[in-house]
Amino acid sequence: MLLYLRSAVFILWLIVTVIPWSLAAVIGSVFTRGAPLYWLCAGWLKLSVLGAKWICGVHWRVQGMENVPTAADGQASVILVPKHQSTWETFAIPAIMPHPLAYVFKRELLWIPFFGWAIGRLDMVHIDRGRRSDAWRKVVEQGTRIMGLGTWMIMFPEGTRTPRGSQGEYKTGASRLAVTTNTPLVPIAVTSARCWPRKSFLLRPGTIDISIGRPIDPQGRRPDELMREVESWIEAEMRRLDPEAYPAQPG
């Protein structure tokens, strides 16, 4: 019963805080854009993961931060490619990274009241998944421009959230962008489904591990080969971080 109560309070926390924060972002976008507006919105994401910690007991620990450029490396860009199990990492990764991030996301998210209005004012890439060729062209054009400003891209190679202990198909969109723009890929393993499973509003207390791998240089590589290396690292790391979720294979 306590699990349901805490989760309900957390969802209420998200609703109550996102309304004034989003309105502030929309109004603020009239006067400023770029990094100041991004960090304003990232403040709400940090408040959200802190809310999950305070209300539901969802803690986290990070290893491998030395594998991404520091805040002092203003123009150094990378493409983050995280494991996708939960809503949690979409909130947490911008909250812990030292650079502004630009998500590639489906345009339907723009229709969510308040939240969608705010992200629509940020410099990100929203695509129509039904028009794949146009979507890819938009990713390349806008991604190249955005990374030229020193902003990092973030793309979930599985495309959608996967259940704990499983893996989706690793698509080559991020690796194609990496090869096209000669930008390193940074794989990230996240055990978020341990505390916040997909398609669930129930948050369980525990600790989520975030492990950041070394950048993978795309120079001279094929996109499929590059993505196989990303997949291999992430899935091996997931089994190290969350072994109880992956039963041992017979033999």
Side-chain angles (χ1 to χ4, degrees), residues 97-142:
M97 288 295 169
H99 278 257
L101 307 180
Y103 278 90
V104 177
F105 61 89
K106 57 184 180 181
R107 65 175 184 174
E108 287 81 0
L109 292 180
L110 298 173
W111 305 340
I112 300 175
F114 299 103
F115 177 82
W117 304 344
I119 63 174
R121 305 300 293 170
L122 297 174
D123 199 3
M124 298 194 180
V125 184
H126 38 90
I127 59 174
D128 181 353
R129 288 184 173 178
R131 303 175 63 182
R132 293 192 175 183
S133 59
D134 289 343
W136 170 244
R137 184 166 57 251
K138 188 173 185 180
V139 168
V140 172
E141 291 175 355
Q142 294 195 16

Short mmCIF file of all heavy atoms in Angstrom, two decimals, residues 97-142:
data_model
loop_
_atom_site.label_atom_id
_atom_site.label_comp_id
_atom_site.label_asym_id
_atom_site.label_seq_id
_atom_site.Cartn_x
_atom_site.Cartn_y
_atom_site.Cartn_z
N MET A 97 24.48 15.43 -16.69
CA MET A 97 25.51 15.74 -17.68
C MET A 97 25.92 17.22 -17.62
O MET A 97 25.07 18.09 -17.37
CB MET A 97 25.03 15.39 -19.09
CG MET A 97 24.95 13.89 -19.35
SD MET A 97 26.59 13.14 -19.29
CE MET A 97 26.15 11.38 -19.27
N PRO A 98 27.21 17.51 -17.88
CA PRO A 98 27.69 18.89 -17.74
C PRO A 98 27.45 19.78 -18.96
O PRO A 98 27.81 20.95 -18.94
CB PRO A 98 29.20 18.69 -17.52
CG PRO A 98 29.52 17.45 -18.29
CD PRO A 98 28.31 16.56 -18.13
N HIS A 99 26.89 19.22 -20.04
CA HIS A 99 26.64 19.98 -21.26
C HIS A 99 25.16 19.93 -21.61
O HIS A 99 24.46 18.98 -21.26
CB HIS A 99 27.41 19.38 -22.45
CG HIS A 99 28.84 19.81 -22.53
ND1 HIS A 99 29.29 20.76 -23.42
CD2 HIS A 99 29.92 19.42 -21.83
CE1 HIS A 99 30.60 20.92 -23.27
NE2 HIS A 99 31.00 20.12 -22.31
N PRO A 100 24.66 20.92 -22.32
CA PRO A 100 23.29 20.81 -22.87
C PRO A 100 23.18 19.62 -23.81
O PRO A 100 24.11 19.29 -24.53
CB PRO A 100 23.11 22.14 -23.63
CG PRO A 100 24.08 23.08 -22.99
CD PRO A 100 25.26 22.24 -22.61
N LEU A 101 22.02 18.99 -23.79
CA LEU A 101 21.74 17.84 -24.64
C LEU A 101 20.59 18.16 -25.58
O LEU A 101 19.71 18.95 -25.24
CB LEU A 101 21.36 16.61 -23.81
CG LEU A 101 22.30 16.16 -22.70
CD1 LEU A 101 21.74 14.93 -22.01
CD2 LEU A 101 23.68 15.87 -23.25
N ALA A 102 20.59 17.52 -26.72
CA ALA A 102 19.47 17.63 -27.66
C ALA A 102 18.95 16.23 -27.94
O ALA A 102 19.69 15.38 -28.45
CB ALA A 102 19.90 18.31 -28.95
N TYR A 103 17.71 15.99 -27.58
CA TYR A 103 17.08 14.70 -27.85
C TYR A 103 16.55 14.66 -29.28
O TYR A 103 16.13 15.67 -29.84
CB TYR A 103 15.90 14.47 -26.90
CG TYR A 103 16.28 13.95 -25.54
CD1 TYR A 103 16.57 14.81 -24.49
CD2 TYR A 103 16.33 12.58 -25.30
CE1 TYR A 103 16.90 14.33 -23.23
CE2 TYR A 103 16.65 12.09 -24.04
CZ TYR A 103 16.94 12.97 -23.02
OH TYR A 103 17.27 12.48 -21.78
N VAL A 104 16.54 13.45 -29.84
CA VAL A 104 15.76 13.16 -31.04
C VAL A 104 14.51 12.44 -30.55
O VAL A 104 14.61 11.37 -29.94
CB VAL A 104 16.54 12.28 -32.02
CG1 VAL A 104 15.67 11.93 -33.22
CG2 VAL A 104 17.82 12.98 -32.47
N PHE A 105 13.34 13.02 -30.77
CA PHE A 105 12.13 12.42 -30.21
C PHE A 105 10.96 12.57 -31.18
O PHE A 105 10.97 13.41 -32.08
CB PHE A 105 11.78 13.04 -28.85
CG PHE A 105 11.50 14.52 -28.88
CD1 PHE A 105 10.22 15.00 -29.12
CD2 PHE A 105 12.52 15.45 -28.66
CE1 PHE A 105 9.95 16.36 -29.14
CE2 PHE A 105 12.26 16.81 -28.68
CZ PHE A 105 10.97 17.27 -28.92
N LYS A 106 9.95 11.74 -30.98
CA LYS A 106 8.77 11.78 -31.85
C LYS A 106 7.98 13.06 -31.56
O LYS A 106 7.82 13.47 -30.40
CB LYS A 106 7.90 10.55 -31.64
CG LYS A 106 7.42 10.33 -30.22
CD LYS A 106 6.66 9.02 -30.10
CE LYS A 106 6.17 8.79 -28.67
NZ LYS A 106 5.45 7.51 -28.52
N ARG A 107 7.46 13.67 -32.60
CA ARG A 107 6.83 14.98 -32.47
C ARG A 107 5.57 14.96 -31.61
O ARG A 107 5.13 16.00 -31.12
CB ARG A 107 6.50 15.54 -33.85
CG ARG A 107 5.46 14.73 -34.62
CD ARG A 107 5.09 15.39 -35.92
NE ARG A 107 4.02 14.67 -36.61
CZ ARG A 107 3.45 15.11 -37.72
NH1 ARG A 107 3.83 16.26 -38.26
NH2 ARG A 107 2.48 14.40 -38.29
N GLU A 108 4.98 13.74 -31.41
CA GLU A 108 3.76 13.65 -30.59
C GLU A 108 3.98 14.15 -29.16
O GLU A 108 3.03 14.56 -28.50
CB GLU A 108 3.25 12.21 -30.57
CG GLU A 108 2.62 11.73 -31.87
CD GLU A 108 3.63 11.30 -32.91
OE1 GLU A 108 4.85 11.36 -32.63
OE2 GLU A 108 3.20 10.91 -34.03
N LEU A 109 5.24 14.12 -28.70
CA LEU A 109 5.52 14.61 -27.34
C LEU A 109 5.24 16.10 -27.21
O LEU A 109 4.99 16.60 -26.12
CB LEU A 109 6.98 14.32 -26.96
CG LEU A 109 7.35 12.84 -26.78
CD1 LEU A 109 8.82 12.71 -26.40
CD2 LEU A 109 6.48 12.17 -25.73
N LEU A 110 5.28 16.82 -28.33
CA LEU A 110 5.01 18.25 -28.30
C LEU A 110 3.56 18.55 -27.95
O LEU A 110 3.23 19.67 -27.57
CB LEU A 110 5.35 18.89 -29.65
CG LEU A 110 6.80 18.80 -30.11
CD1 LEU A 110 6.94 19.32 -31.53
CD2 LEU A 110 7.71 19.57 -29.17
N TRP A 111 2.69 17.56 -28.08
CA TRP A 111 1.27 17.76 -27.83
C TRP A 111 0.91 17.60 -26.36
O TRP A 111 -0.23 17.86 -25.97
CB TRP A 111 0.45 16.79 -28.68
CG TRP A 111 0.75 16.85 -30.14
CD1 TRP A 111 1.35 17.89 -30.81
CD2 TRP A 111 0.52 15.83 -31.13
NE1 TRP A 111 1.50 17.59 -32.14
CE2 TRP A 111 0.99 16.34 -32.38
CE3 TRP A 111 -0.05 14.57 -31.09
CZ2 TRP A 111 0.91 15.61 -33.56
CZ3 TRP A 111 -0.13 13.84 -32.27
CH2 TRP A 111 0.34 14.35 -33.48
N ILE A 112 1.86 17.15 -25.52
CA ILE A 112 1.58 17.00 -24.10
C ILE A 112 1.49 18.39 -23.47
O ILE A 112 2.42 19.20 -23.60
CB ILE A 112 2.70 16.20 -23.40
CG1 ILE A 112 2.80 14.80 -24.01
CG2 ILE A 112 2.42 16.10 -21.90
CD1 ILE A 112 3.96 13.99 -23.46
N PRO A 113 0.39 18.71 -22.79
CA PRO A 113 0.25 20.05 -22.19
C PRO A 113 1.41 20.36 -21.25
O PRO A 113 1.89 19.49 -20.52
CB PRO A 113 -1.07 19.96 -21.44
CG PRO A 113 -1.85 18.88 -22.14
CD PRO A 113 -0.81 17.88 -22.59
N PHE A 114 1.84 21.60 -21.29
CA PHE A 114 2.90 22.15 -20.45
C PHE A 114 4.26 21.53 -20.78
O PHE A 114 5.14 22.23 -21.27
CB PHE A 114 2.57 21.99 -18.95
CG PHE A 114 1.32 22.71 -18.55
CD1 PHE A 114 0.15 22.00 -18.34
CD2 PHE A 114 1.29 24.09 -18.42
CE1 PHE A 114 -1.03 22.66 -17.99
CE2 PHE A 114 0.13 24.77 -18.07
CZ PHE A 114 -1.03 24.04 -17.87
N PHE A 115 4.46 20.25 -20.52
CA PHE A 115 5.75 19.61 -20.79
C PHE A 115 6.12 19.75 -22.26
O PHE A 115 7.24 20.16 -22.61
CB PHE A 115 5.69 18.13 -20.39
CG PHE A 115 6.94 17.36 -20.71
CD1 PHE A 115 8.03 17.39 -19.85
CD2 PHE A 115 7.04 16.60 -21.87
CE1 PHE A 115 9.19 16.67 -20.15
CE2 PHE A 115 8.19 15.88 -22.18
CZ PHE A 115 9.26 15.93 -21.31
N GLY A 116 5.21 19.40 -23.15
CA GLY A 116 5.46 19.50 -24.58
C GLY A 116 5.69 20.93 -25.04
O GLY A 116 6.50 21.18 -25.93
N TRP A 117 4.96 21.86 -24.44
CA TRP A 117 5.14 23.27 -24.81
C TRP A 117 6.56 23.72 -24.50
O TRP A 117 7.16 24.47 -25.28
CB TRP A 117 4.15 24.16 -24.05
CG TRP A 117 2.72 23.75 -24.24
CD1 TRP A 117 2.20 22.93 -25.20
CD2 TRP A 117 1.62 24.14 -23.41
NE1 TRP A 117 0.84 22.79 -25.04
CE2 TRP A 117 0.45 23.51 -23.95
CE3 TRP A 117 1.48 24.94 -22.29
CZ2 TRP A 117 -0.81 23.68 -23.38
CZ3 TRP A 117 0.23 25.11 -21.72
CH2 TRP A 117 -0.91 24.48 -22.26
N ALA A 118 7.09 23.28 -23.36
CA ALA A 118 8.43 23.70 -22.95
C ALA A 118 9.50 23.09 -23.85
O ALA A 118 10.40 23.80 -24.33
CB ALA A 118 8.68 23.31 -21.49
N ILE A 119 9.42 21.76 -24.11
CA ILE A 119 10.48 21.16 -24.93
C ILE A 119 10.40 21.64 -26.38
O ILE A 119 11.41 21.63 -27.10
CB ILE A 119 10.44 19.61 -24.87
CG1 ILE A 119 9.13 19.05 -25.43
CG2 ILE A 119 10.69 19.12 -23.46
CD1 ILE A 119 9.12 17.54 -25.52
N GLY A 120 9.22 22.12 -26.78
CA GLY A 120 9.09 22.68 -28.11
C GLY A 120 9.86 23.98 -28.29
O GLY A 120 10.14 24.39 -29.42
N ARG A 121 10.20 24.63 -27.17
CA ARG A 121 10.96 25.88 -27.23
C ARG A 121 12.47 25.64 -27.18
O ARG A 121 13.25 26.58 -27.32
CB ARG A 121 10.56 26.80 -26.06
CG ARG A 121 9.06 27.08 -25.99
CD ARG A 121 8.55 27.75 -27.24
NE ARG A 121 9.11 29.10 -27.39
CZ ARG A 121 8.98 29.85 -28.47
NH1 ARG A 121 8.35 29.36 -29.53
NH2 ARG A 121 9.49 31.06 -28.51
N LEU A 122 12.88 24.37 -26.96
CA LEU A 122 14.30 24.05 -26.90
C LEU A 122 14.82 23.64 -28.28
O LEU A 122 14.06 23.25 -29.16
CB LEU A 122 14.53 22.91 -25.90
CG LEU A 122 14.16 23.21 -24.44
CD1 LEU A 122 14.31 21.95 -23.59
CD2 LEU A 122 15.02 24.34 -23.87
N ASP A 123 16.12 23.72 -28.43
CA ASP A 123 16.76 23.38 -29.71
C ASP A 123 16.99 21.87 -29.76
O ASP A 123 18.08 21.37 -29.47
CB ASP A 123 18.08 24.13 -29.84
CG ASP A 123 18.55 24.19 -31.29
OD1 ASP A 123 17.82 23.71 -32.17
OD2 ASP A 123 19.66 24.73 -31.53
N MET A 124 15.93 21.13 -30.11
CA MET A 124 16.00 19.68 -30.19
C MET A 124 15.43 19.23 -31.53
O MET A 124 14.97 20.05 -32.32
CB MET A 124 15.27 19.03 -29.01
CG MET A 124 15.88 19.39 -27.66
SD MET A 124 15.28 18.34 -26.33
CE MET A 124 16.20 19.06 -24.94
N VAL A 125 15.46 17.92 -31.77
CA VAL A 125 15.04 17.40 -33.07
C VAL A 125 13.79 16.55 -32.87
O VAL A 125 13.86 15.45 -32.32
CB VAL A 125 16.16 16.55 -33.71
CG1 VAL A 125 15.72 16.10 -35.12
CG2 VAL A 125 17.47 17.32 -33.78
N HIS A 126 12.64 17.07 -33.29
CA HIS A 126 11.41 16.30 -33.20
C HIS A 126 11.02 15.86 -34.61
O HIS A 126 11.00 16.64 -35.55
CB HIS A 126 10.29 17.09 -32.53
CG HIS A 126 10.25 18.54 -32.86
ND1 HIS A 126 9.54 19.07 -33.91
CD2 HIS A 126 10.86 19.59 -32.25
CE1 HIS A 126 9.68 20.38 -33.95
NE2 HIS A 126 10.49 20.73 -32.95
N ILE A 127 10.74 14.56 -34.73
CA ILE A 127 10.57 13.96 -36.05
C ILE A 127 9.21 13.29 -36.19
O ILE A 127 8.56 12.94 -35.21
CB ILE A 127 11.68 12.91 -36.32
CG1 ILE A 127 11.64 11.80 -35.27
CG2 ILE A 127 13.04 13.58 -36.37
CD1 ILE A 127 12.59 10.66 -35.54
N ASP A 128 8.81 13.13 -37.45
CA ASP A 128 7.61 12.37 -37.79
C ASP A 128 8.07 10.97 -38.19
O ASP A 128 8.66 10.77 -39.23
CB ASP A 128 6.89 13.05 -38.96
CG ASP A 128 5.60 12.33 -39.36
OD1 ASP A 128 5.34 11.24 -38.83
OD2 ASP A 128 4.87 12.86 -40.22
N ARG A 129 7.82 10.00 -37.31
CA ARG A 129 8.30 8.64 -37.56
C ARG A 129 7.66 8.01 -38.79
O ARG A 129 8.19 7.06 -39.35
CB ARG A 129 8.05 7.77 -36.33
CG ARG A 129 8.97 8.08 -35.16
CD ARG A 129 8.72 7.12 -34.02
NE ARG A 129 9.70 7.29 -32.95
CZ ARG A 129 9.68 6.59 -31.82
NH1 ARG A 129 8.75 5.67 -31.62
NH2 ARG A 129 10.60 6.79 -30.89
N GLY A 130 6.52 8.54 -39.20
CA GLY A 130 5.85 7.99 -40.37
C GLY A 130 6.50 8.41 -41.68
O GLY A 130 6.18 7.84 -42.73
N ARG A 131 7.40 9.37 -41.63
CA ARG A 131 8.09 9.85 -42.84
C ARG A 131 9.58 9.69 -42.62
O ARG A 131 10.30 10.63 -42.30
CB ARG A 131 7.71 11.31 -43.11
CG ARG A 131 6.21 11.53 -43.26
CD ARG A 131 5.86 12.99 -43.41
NE ARG A 131 6.42 13.57 -44.62
CZ ARG A 131 6.28 14.86 -44.97
NH1 ARG A 131 5.59 15.69 -44.18
NH2 ARG A 131 6.81 15.30 -46.09
N ARG A 132 10.05 8.47 -42.80
CA ARG A 132 11.40 8.11 -42.38
C ARG A 132 12.50 8.86 -43.13
O ARG A 132 13.49 9.28 -42.54
CB ARG A 132 11.60 6.60 -42.52
CG ARG A 132 10.75 5.79 -41.57
CD ARG A 132 11.17 4.34 -41.53
NE ARG A 132 10.42 3.60 -40.52
CZ ARG A 132 10.63 2.33 -40.23
NH1 ARG A 132 11.56 1.65 -40.90
NH2 ARG A 132 9.91 1.72 -39.30
N SER A 133 12.34 9.02 -44.44
CA SER A 133 13.40 9.70 -45.18
C SER A 133 13.50 11.16 -44.77
O SER A 133 14.60 11.70 -44.59
CB SER A 133 13.14 9.59 -46.69
OG SER A 133 11.89 10.16 -47.04
N ASP A 134 12.35 11.82 -44.60
CA ASP A 134 12.35 13.21 -44.14
C ASP A 134 12.89 13.29 -42.71
O ASP A 134 13.61 14.24 -42.36
CB ASP A 134 10.94 13.79 -44.18
CG ASP A 134 10.46 14.03 -45.61
OD1 ASP A 134 11.32 14.07 -46.52
OD2 ASP A 134 9.24 14.19 -45.81
N ALA A 135 12.54 12.30 -41.89
CA ALA A 135 13.01 12.30 -40.50
C ALA A 135 14.53 12.19 -40.44
O ALA A 135 15.19 12.91 -39.69
CB ALA A 135 12.35 11.15 -39.73
N TRP A 136 15.09 11.29 -41.24
CA TRP A 136 16.55 11.12 -41.23
C TRP A 136 17.25 12.38 -41.72
O TRP A 136 18.26 12.80 -41.15
CB TRP A 136 16.94 9.92 -42.08
CG TRP A 136 18.42 9.81 -42.31
CD1 TRP A 136 19.07 9.90 -43.49
CD2 TRP A 136 19.43 9.65 -41.32
NE1 TRP A 136 20.42 9.78 -43.31
CE2 TRP A 136 20.68 9.63 -41.99
CE3 TRP A 136 19.41 9.51 -39.93
CZ2 TRP A 136 21.89 9.47 -41.31
CZ3 TRP A 136 20.62 9.36 -39.25
CH2 TRP A 136 21.83 9.35 -39.93
N ARG A 137 16.73 12.99 -42.78
CA ARG A 137 17.33 14.23 -43.28
C ARG A 137 17.31 15.31 -42.20
O ARG A 137 18.29 16.05 -42.03
CB ARG A 137 16.58 14.69 -44.53
CG ARG A 137 17.20 15.94 -45.17
CD ARG A 137 16.66 16.20 -46.57
NE ARG A 137 15.21 16.33 -46.57
CZ ARG A 137 14.39 15.42 -47.08
NH1 ARG A 137 14.87 14.31 -47.61
NH2 ARG A 137 13.07 15.60 -47.05
N LYS A 138 16.21 15.38 -41.46
CA LYS A 138 16.11 16.38 -40.39
C LYS A 138 17.11 16.09 -39.28
O LYS A 138 17.72 17.01 -38.73
CB LYS A 138 14.68 16.38 -39.83
CG LYS A 138 14.39 17.50 -38.85
CD LYS A 138 12.90 17.52 -38.49
CE LYS A 138 12.58 18.71 -37.60
NZ LYS A 138 11.14 18.75 -37.24
N VAL A 139 17.29 14.81 -38.94
CA VAL A 139 18.25 14.44 -37.90
C VAL A 139 19.66 14.85 -38.31
O VAL A 139 20.41 15.42 -37.51
CB VAL A 139 18.20 12.92 -37.63
CG1 VAL A 139 19.39 12.48 -36.76
CG2 VAL A 139 16.90 12.54 -36.92
N VAL A 140 20.03 14.60 -39.55
CA VAL A 140 21.38 14.95 -40.02
C VAL A 140 21.57 16.46 -40.06
O VAL A 140 22.57 16.98 -39.54
CB VAL A 140 21.65 14.33 -41.41
CG1 VAL A 140 22.98 14.86 -41.97
CG2 VAL A 140 21.68 12.82 -41.32
N GLU A 141 20.62 17.16 -40.66
CA GLU A 141 20.77 18.61 -40.81
C GLU A 141 20.78 19.31 -39.46
O GLU A 141 21.68 20.11 -39.17
CB GLU A 141 19.63 19.16 -41.68
CG GLU A 141 19.72 18.73 -43.15
CD GLU A 141 18.53 19.20 -43.96
OE1 GLU A 141 17.59 19.78 -43.36
OE2 GLU A 141 18.53 18.99 -45.19
N GLN A 142 19.79 19.03 -38.63
CA GLN A 142 19.71 19.71 -37.34
C GLN A 142 20.76 19.18 -36.37
O GLN A 142 21.32 19.94 -35.58
CB GLN A 142 18.31 19.57 -36.76
CG GLN A 142 17.24 20.28 -37.57
CD GLN A 142 15.94 20.44 -36.81
OE1 GLN A 142 15.88 20.30 -35.59
NE2 GLN A 142 14.89 20.74 -37.53
#
